[in-house]
Amino acid sequence: MTAEELRQAAIFLFGERGWMSRLSEALGVDRSSVSRWFAGLPVPGPAAAAVRAWLKLYEITGETPYEITGLIDPKE
């Protein structure tokens, strides 16, 4: 997964505002880790796999990661 693919997926799943923080929270990593992926470090396989799984679950269920986990969506 490229940095651009990750960015597009995160915006789709978490909204246009605050998506980087929400992505890092959902993945259980520091926001600085996500920032480094956009600065040129490769997106780790487990992070890419999680994002792909969330996209697939959204395709199947229509639910975001927040809805799937029962957390409150901070976009609301």
Side-chain angles (χ1 to χ4, degrees), residues 35-73:
S35 294
R36 285 192 293 271
W37 301 337
F38 291 100
L41 288 178
V43 178
V51 172
R52 286 187 183 109
W54 291 329
L55 289 170
K56 189 60 153 174
L57 283 169
Y58 183 84
E59 182 182 313
I60 294 168
T61 68
E63 294 184 324
T64 67
Y66 285 103
E67 294 165 325
I68 290 167
T69 61
L71 298 173
I72 296 172
D73 189 341

Side-chain angles (χ1 to χ4, degrees), residues 4-26:
E4 181 58 21
E5 290 169 333
L6 179 64
R7 185 186 72 77
Q8 289 177 5
I11 290 170
F12 177 78
L13 292 167
F14 300 105
E16 290 197 32
R17 298 184 69 196
W19 61 266
M20 194 177 289
S21 294
R22 292 184 192 124
L23 175 62
S24 65
E25 179 185 340

